[in-house]
Amino acid sequence: MRPFQKILATLLLAASAAAAQAWPDQPITLVVPYTPGTGIDLVARQLSARLPAVLGQPVVVDNVAGASGNIGSEKVARAKPDGYTLLVQVNTLVMNKSLYKSLAYDPLNDFTPVSLTSWGTLLLVTNPNVQKTTSVAQVVAAAKASPGKFTYATPGVGTPHHLSMAMLLQSTGTEMLHVPYKGTAGAVTDLLGGRIDYMFLPVHVALQHIQAGKLKAIATGSDKRLAQLPEVPTLAEAGIKGGNVDMWYGVLAPKGTPSAVVDRLNKEIGAVLRQPEVATAFESQGMVPASSAPGEFKELMTKDAQRWAGVVQRGGITAE
């Protein structure tokens, strides 16, 4: 390294350290690109309730919903990279990279990953009145015998629920009729009423209906069985290659945020996630706390984007 390069590097490190020492000196905003009450909103509110104690500044949640999370995500991507505007997102962030023909931001290159916060998963469920649906093998056999006869609902095109089912159908060479809804509520209502046959649902949404006998769990998309439903096999156990459809949740900052600020956030978020009360709150929503180093989070995002891009391309799926 040449002398002037060493001087520049030293100055940059000094500036980053100075920024970290001064940060934070004003409130921090956690942008949630979805409506209140969602799983990602719960994550943000757990952080906003506990981070002020260690950061010494208020932490507020700003729900900026719309366009499958793109409006809120773009807002953070365009924000000043000073550590005061952060994004709390789920893996739809990287799914959107291949779903939308044009985005006003780059999900992989316009953010600095800070830390994972948790993992959630989806359950493949059915209305109990649908015949021959006690296992994935029976579902596949029935779908192959009657291509396009069976239906599955999603909260919309390109959602994790949709891509998870697309992955399953692609992996098994089967066809079903996709019925997209504008949100989860209407889809669940029709599933319970027998107007829809199958659906991938988050654990916290499906569990109450499973326990009441109104829905039947066929398989879980996690890499291991759920504590709440130990008798339900995973998709992998059912023979579905690459059947893990877990959803990651995490915090990101605008690209260019000082590394010292990112490191401080990573440390404090990790400490919050280790609190027993947070684990309990997450478990009520079918999630498990999980922190990570920024670099690990970046690697996960990159691999996940590639994986779901394959599903999108094979299925010819586009979102408008």
Side-chain angles (χ1 to χ4, degrees), residues 128-175:
N129 293 325
V130 179
Q131 297 180 349
K132 299 180 179 179
T133 56
T134 59
S135 68
V136 172
Q138 287 187 334
V139 172
V140 171
K144 285 186 174 181
S146 303
K149 172 186 175 182
F150 295 94
T151 58
Y152 72 95
T154 70
V157 174
T159 56
H161 317 61
H162 180 200
L163 296 193
S164 294
M165 183 62 83
M167 179 279 299
L168 175 60
L169 297 177
Q170 291 171 15
S171 299
T172 57
T174 51
E175 296 179 21

Side-chain angles (χ1 to χ4, degrees), residues 28-48:
I28 298 165
T29 298
L30 300 180
V31 174
V32 175
Y34 304 99
T35 56
T38 57
I40 196 66
D41 184 66
L42 169 74
V43 170
R45 293 187 186 280
Q46 288 295 317
L47 294 176
S48 69

Side-chain angles (χ1 to χ4, degrees), residues 89-91 93-95 107-108 113 115-120 244 246-252 290-308:
Q89 250 288 24
V90 66
N91 60 346
L93 177 69
V94 296
M95 290 176 172
L108 292 180
S115 176
L116 281 176
T117 60
S118 51
W119 286 96
N244 188 315
D246 275 349
M247 299 184 297
W248 52 256
Y249 299 76
V251 177
L252 304 100
S291 59
S292 71
E296 293 172 334
F297 190 10
K298 176 69 173 182
E299 183 178 356
L300 171 63
M301 290 174 60
T302 302
K303 290 182 178 179
D304 214 29
Q306 294 171 348
R307 178 194 182 197
W308 291 113

Side-chain angles (χ1 to χ4, degrees), residues 66-213:
S68 297
N70 286 324
I71 296 176
S73 296
E74 182 185 351
K75 178 178 180 178
V76 177
R78 300 289 172 253
K80 186 176 180 180
D82 54 10
Y84 292 106
T85 304
L86 307 172
L87 178 67
V88 187
Q89 250 288 24
V90 66
N91 60 346
T92 50
L93 177 69
V94 296
M95 290 176 172
N96 287 347
K97 184 173 176 62
S98 54
L99 282 166
Y100 288 83
K101 295 179 181 179
S102 60
L103 285 176
Y105 67 97
D106 188 324
L108 292 180
N109 296 316
D110 285 346
F111 298 101
T112 298
V114 175
S115 176
L116 281 176
T117 60
S118 51
W119 286 96
T121 195
L122 295 170
L123 280 168
L124 176 61
V125 298
T126 184
N127 184 294
N129 293 325
V130 179
Q131 297 180 349
K132 299 180 179 179
T133 56
T134 59
S135 68
V136 172
Q138 287 187 334
V139 172
V140 171
K144 285 186 174 181
S146 303
K149 172 186 175 182
F150 295 94
T151 58
Y152 72 95
T154 70
V157 174
T159 56
H161 317 61
H162 180 200
L163 296 193
S164 294
M165 183 62 83
M167 179 279 299
L168 175 60
L169 297 177
Q170 291 171 15
S171 299
T172 57
T174 51
E175 296 179 21
M176 290 186 189
L177 177 63
H178 177 207
V179 184
Y181 288 73
K182 293 183 178 180
T184 303
V188 172
T189 296
D190 282 355
L191 180 66
L192 293 170
R195 291 175 287 277
I196 293 294
D197 298 319
Y198 303 104
M199 189 172 183
F200 269 102
L201 280 175
V203 175
H204 73 280
V205 176
L207 192 59
Q208 58 181 319
H209 301 301
I210 294 169
Q211 293 171 338

